[in-house]
Amino acid sequence: VQLQASGGGLVQAGDSLRLSCAGSKRTLSNNAMGWFRQAPGKEREFVAAISYRGETTYYSDSVKGRFTISRDNAKNTLYLQMNNLRPEDTAVYYCAARSGSIAAKNDYRYWGQGTLVTVSS
């Protein structure tokens, strides 16, 4: 099982970034996916989730309306489009896969390494 997140970086408040998470076909096949983040000194928190076919998405209240989760199953890739970034979005972002096609905010089985997003004010 492999998940590889990328796309993080240093941006200014109000900027946009798109994170990607490349996985094996086995990891993404039939599995819902999600993004989580962990800020310095804080616990990891849920950001967004998407069902296997993409028909269902969930977002945390803190990112709703600014972030968009999507996936391209043909490319075995998960995305997180982040717009209007704020300093409080600074964190290491992780992608994860569930066992099953239904999107959810918890119970993820497979995790990738994180990618750091830093938003300056």
Side-chain angles (χ1 to χ4, degrees):
V1 174
Q2 283 188 319
L3 292 170
Q4 181 93 18
S6 61
L10 172 63
V11 297
Q12 293 186 331
D15 286 350
S16 298
L17 271 179
R18 187 175 80 157
L19 304 183
S20 298
C21 175
S24 65
K25 183 175 182 179
R26 176 189 172 192
T27 304
L28 273 68
S29 180
N30 295 317
N31 289 335
M33 302 289 294
W35 287 98
F36 294 75
R37 67 186 182 187
Q38 186 167 18
K42 296 187 177 180
E43 293 188 352
R44 186 169 60 193
E45 65 174 358
F46 168 79
V47 175
I50 187 168
S51 59
Y52 170 63
R53 299 190 185 283
E55 75 277 17
T56 303
T57 57
Y58 296 116
Y59 296 94
S60 66
D61 288 342
S62 61
V63 307
K64 197 174 297 182
R66 300 187 298 122
F67 290 13
T68 302
I69 189 171
S70 63
R71 63 191 295 165
D72 185 336
N73 290 337
K75 295 182 179 179
N76 297 318
T77 303
L78 174 73
Y79 301 101
L80 185 67
Q81 177 67 43
M82 306 186 294
N83 298 329
N84 191 21
L85 282 160
R86 304 167 180 169
E88 54 264 38
D89 294 319
T90 295
V92 177
Y93 284 72
Y94 299 89
C95 57
R98 300 189 78 225
S99 289
S101 62
I102 299 173
K105 297 180 181 181
N106 51 30
D107 194 24
Y108 282 75
R109 182 174 182 182
Y110 307 112
W111 294 83
Q113 95 296 345
T115 185
L116 177 62
V117 173
T118 304
V119 185
S120 63
S121 58

